[in-house]
Amino acid sequence: MNLACIPAYNEESTIQDVVKKTLPHVDKVIVCDDGSTDNTAKLAKEAGAIVISQNNEGYGAAISTLFEQARKENAQIMVTLDGDGQHNPDQIPLLINAITTHNVDVVIGSRFLDDKTSAPGYRKTGIKIITSASNYGTNFKVTDSQSGFRAYSKDAIDAIHPTEQGMSVSTEILLKISNKGLSVAEVPIIVSYEGDTSEQHSVSHGVSVLVNTIKYVSIKHPLQFYGIPGIVLLIAGIIMGGIFLDAYLNAQKIFYGSLLASIMSFLLGAILVVTSILLFSMANLIRDRN
Ligand SMILES: Nc1nc2c(ncn2[C@@H]2O[C@H](COP(=O)(O)OP(=O)(O)OP(=O)(O)O)[C@@H](O)[C@H]2O)c(=O)[nH]1
Ligand SMILES: [Mg+2]
C-alpha cells in the first residue's frame, strides 16, 4: 500500500486541492493537522483524506507522527508533500517510480536539480548553504536537503524515527538515512513560489535550521568541529602564556592582557578538546547501539 502524507498548518486555501490531486496517485492520503485554527482539518476530511490531529507541535513532530502512522498501516511507500500547494501532486509517480524501478530507499524531490524552479534568491542561497552543511554530515550529496517532497521505502519507514520538532527534521532525517546506510536518489521537481510573502519568517526559520544542521554535523564530526579549534586555542594559550612569562622573567613586566588572554584561551581550548572527546565517544556508543 502506498501512502501520501501531508503535514498541514492553517492551509485551508490549498489543502482540498492538494488532497484531491494526490488521491489518484496513492491508496490513502493522510493529513497531519497541527492544531490549525482554520478549517484545514474539516476540508481535508471532506476532500477524502484521513486526518490526524495534534496540538501545534511543529512540522517535525507532524513528520514523526506520519512515519509512525505509515508503520501502523504497513505502507510499502510513503510520499510526503506540503499542504500549501507548492508541490505538484502529479509529480508523485516520479518519486514512487524511482523507488520501485531503481530500488532506492529514499527519493528526494529536488527543486535545484535542473533548476526550473525560480525560488527567491535569498531563499535559494539559504537552502544551498544549509544543504552544503548537511552534505558534510552524510555519506552522499544532495542538492535540496530541505525539500519536503520525498518518498520513503518500507525499509526507510521502519528505520527512521525522527525526533526534531521543527523544520530541522529534514536534515535530521538525511543524517539518519546516512547512518543507517540507506540509499538515496533525487528527482527534479517543480516548486511553486506564487503568492509567497513569508520573507522574515523564512529567514528566522533558515537560521535556526542552519544552526541545527551544524549541531547535527558537528556531532557527526566532533574531532574536526571541536577538537581542532580546541587544540588551536590550547596552543594559542601556551604561546601567550610564554609571552607573559618571558616579559615577566626578563623585564619584570606584568602584561595582564596577555595573562588573561592566555588563561581564557587555554581554558576554552581545554573545554573544546574535552567536549570533542566526549562527543566522539558518545557518537560511537550510539552508533554501536543502533
Ligand atoms: N503539521 C504541521 N505542519 C506544518 C507546520 N508548519 C508548517 N507546516 C506544513 O508544512 C509544509 C511546509 O511548510 P512551509 O511553511 O510551507 O515551509 P516551506 O515550504 O519550507 O517554506 P515557504 O517557502 O515559506 O513556503 C506546509 O504544508 C505547512 O502547512 C507545523 O507546525 N505543523
Ligand atoms: Mg511552503
Side-chain angles (χ1 to χ4, degrees), residues 104-131:
V104 289
D105 294 307
V106 182
V107 177
I108 297 173
S110 166
R111 70 201 104 173
F112 304 121
L113 210 53
D114 61 8
D115 234 353
K116 283 201 191 112
T117 298
S118 52
Y122 62 90
R123 201 164 304 200
K124 204 182 223 176
T125 312
I127 296 170
K128 291 205 163 159
I129 293 171
I130 294 167
T131 298

Side-chain angles (χ1 to χ4, degrees), residues 6-11 14-15 32-36 54 56-63 66 81-87 111 120 123 127 146 148 165 167 191-193 196-199 201-202 205:
I6 308 176
Y9 180 67
N10 288 348
E11 304 289 7
T14 49
I15 194 71
C32 184
D33 167 55
D34 207 13
S36 297
Q54 50 191 42
N56 215 342
E57 291 164 39
Y59 175 81
I63 291 288
L66 291 166
L81 72 158
D82 290 356
D84 60 358
Q86 279 187 294
H87 298 143
R111 70 201 104 173
R123 201 164 304 200
I127 296 170
Q146 299 307 299
Q165 304 274 299
M167 289 285 176
V191 174
S192 150
Y193 280 92
D196 175 60
T197 51
S198 56
E199 183 166 339
H201 175 74
S202 65
H205 262 181

Side-chain angles (χ1 to χ4, degrees), residues 106-252:
V106 182
V107 177
I108 297 173
S110 166
R111 70 201 104 173
F112 304 121
L113 210 53
D114 61 8
D115 234 353
K116 283 201 191 112
T117 298
S118 52
Y122 62 90
R123 201 164 304 200
K124 204 182 223 176
T125 312
I127 296 170
K128 291 205 163 159
I129 293 171
I130 294 167
T131 298
S132 308
S134 153
N135 280 339
Y136 192 67
T138 54
N139 52 21
F140 48 77
K141 301 263 170 288
V142 296
T143 58
D144 191 353
S145 66
Q146 299 307 299
S147 172
F149 199 3
R150 296 178 173 185
Y152 300 93
S153 70
K154 182 154 177 44
D155 283 349
I157 296 168
D158 288 339
I160 297 169
H161 296 254
T163 55
E164 273 290 333
Q165 304 274 299
M167 289 285 176
S168 314
V169 74
S170 303
T171 307
E172 183 201 359
I173 290 176
L174 288 177
L175 267 93
K176 289 193 164 160
I177 293 168
S178 172
N179 290 344
K180 306 264 177 186
L182 296 164
S183 54
V184 179
E186 281 188 305
V187 297
I189 54 152
I190 294 165
V191 174
S192 150
Y193 280 92
E194 270 167 47
D196 175 60
T197 51
S198 56
E199 183 166 339
Q200 224 182 346
H201 175 74
S202 65
V203 169
S204 66
H205 262 181
V207 170
S208 91
V209 171
L210 179 61
V211 169
N212 277 319
T213 301
I214 292 172
K215 178 187 84 183
Y216 276 113
V217 174
S218 68
I219 291 171
K220 192 99 212 269
H221 297 292
L223 297 181
Q224 277 118 303
F225 270 80
Y226 300 104
I228 292 174
I231 288 169
V232 169
L233 282 173
L234 274 180
I235 293 171
I238 291 169
I239 293 172
M240 282 184 287
I243 294 172
F244 168 80
L245 266 185
D246 187 55
Y248 181 67
L249 294 177
N250 292 327
Q252 274 72 50

Side-chain angles (χ1 to χ4, degrees), residues 34-60:
D34 207 13
S36 297
T37 50
D38 65 3
N39 283 320
T40 300
K42 181 170 165 274
L43 293 174
K45 217 173 282 170
E46 279 173 20
I50 295 165
V51 176
I52 303 176
S53 292
Q54 50 191 42
N55 198 14
N56 215 342
E57 291 164 39
Y59 175 81

